[in-house]
Amino acid sequence: MEPRDIDGDLTEILISEEQIRARLAEMSRQIEVDYAGTDLLLVGVLKGAVMVMADLARELHHPVTMDWMAVSSYGSGTQSSGVVRILKDLDTDLSGRNVLIVEDIIDSGLTLSWLLANLKTRGPASIEICALLRKPDAARVDIDVKYVGFNIPNQFVVGYGLDYDEKYRNLRSVGILAPHVYSTVAAAAL
Ligand code: XMP
Ligand code: MG
């Protein structure tokens, strides 16, 4: 859907569909160079990374396999706590594999740093991170993210896989959610 389909729920369109497509193409060219001649396993983090995984994988001129994890990070409201639980684990044995974690957004970084530590214990040949969005001002842990699409301000965003209360994931662009939408609900974002 387009921003006009949720009229009034966004204060601003932060990143357009065209900008996302162009940036994913640039990132894909870099990934193709970095992984030339090697196998590549993309690990998507459900549910937010569904759109970026689908578009990145199709943009890549490189054979990949794909697997998925679902994790839940507990916290209050829209804040992550770093306490992570695996809701769905990988089906793939990581030993000797070149793993690229595909994420929608890095906020505090707590979820991803936990995930990275967990996956590293499984013996991959290499493990790197690709995130469409990152909020540098929200970082609470230092993570080395090899591929970042866009650095964005420390505001709650939705669209292109990102939800608020499971809504807005099918918005084609990324936008800043209007405060009136979430001020009444104290739901935790996954
Ligand atoms: P961190 O890096 O803080 O983020 O552990 C964990 C997860 O929180 C979600 N998240 C967001 N979801 N808009 C969203 O829709 C946002 O602005 C946002 N910031 C964080 C996301 O699932 C991330 O993986
Ligand atoms: Mg996520």
Side-chain angles (χ1 to χ4, degrees):
M1 62 183 180
E2 325 276 341
R4 64 171 174 271
D5 298 316
I6 48 160
D7 192 32
D9 288 2
L10 300 180
T11 55
E12 187 187 327
I13 300 166
L14 203 57
I15 306 166
S16 70
E17 190 183 355
E18 291 68 32
Q19 287 174 302
I20 294 171
R21 191 175 12 244
R23 186 69 186 115
L24 285 180
E26 288 175 354
M27 293 161 80
S28 296
R29 300 296 84 79
Q30 189 59 53
I31 292 168
E32 287 160 7
V33 171
D34 294 348
Y35 289 91
T38 69
D39 95 290
L40 177 57
L41 169 65
L42 302 180
V43 169
V45 185
L46 294 169
K47 303 173 190 169
V50 165
M51 304 298 178
V52 54
M53 180 76 136
D55 286 344
L56 180 79
R58 286 181 294 179
E59 178 62 36
L60 281 169
H61 294 278
H62 188 102
V64 298
T65 49
M66 286 175 260
D67 202 350
W68 301 90
M69 276 186 94
V71 297
S72 112
S73 49
Y74 293 106
S76 59
T78 53
Q79 297 293 308
S80 164
S81 66
V83 181
V84 178
R85 190 163 60 104
I86 294 179
L87 303 177
K88 185 228 168 285
D89 208 337
L90 297 172
D91 301 321
T92 313
D93 177 1
L94 296 191
S95 52
R97 304 297 301 273
N98 293 303
V99 177
L100 183 58
I101 302 174
V102 177
E103 256 288 29
D104 48 359
I105 189 164
I106 304 173
D107 193 296
S108 68
L110 293 169
T111 306
L112 206 47
S113 90
W114 184 93
L115 195 59
L116 197 57
N118 182 292
L119 297 187
K120 276 182 178 169
T121 66
R122 307 183 191 192
S126 70
I127 186 157
E128 300 289 352
I129 299 163
C130 173
L132 181 70
L133 308 171
R134 180 172 61 181
K135 297 179 185 174
D137 298 339
R140 289 178 56 194
V141 279
D142 196 24
I143 322 178
D144 192 15
V145 186
K146 191 158 185 184
Y147 311 98
V148 180
F150 302 91
N151 286 311
I152 62 168
N154 192 6
Q155 280 177 292
F156 198 79
V157 293
V158 294
Y160 199 70
L162 290 156
D163 72 308
Y164 175 71
D165 202 17
E166 293 299 327
K167 290 183 289 191
Y168 309 109
R169 290 194 197 274
N170 64 323
L171 182 65
R172 288 175 171 272
S173 47
V174 171
I176 297 176
L177 193 63
H180 74 81
V181 178
Y182 57 82
S183 55
T184 52
V185 192
L190 178 64

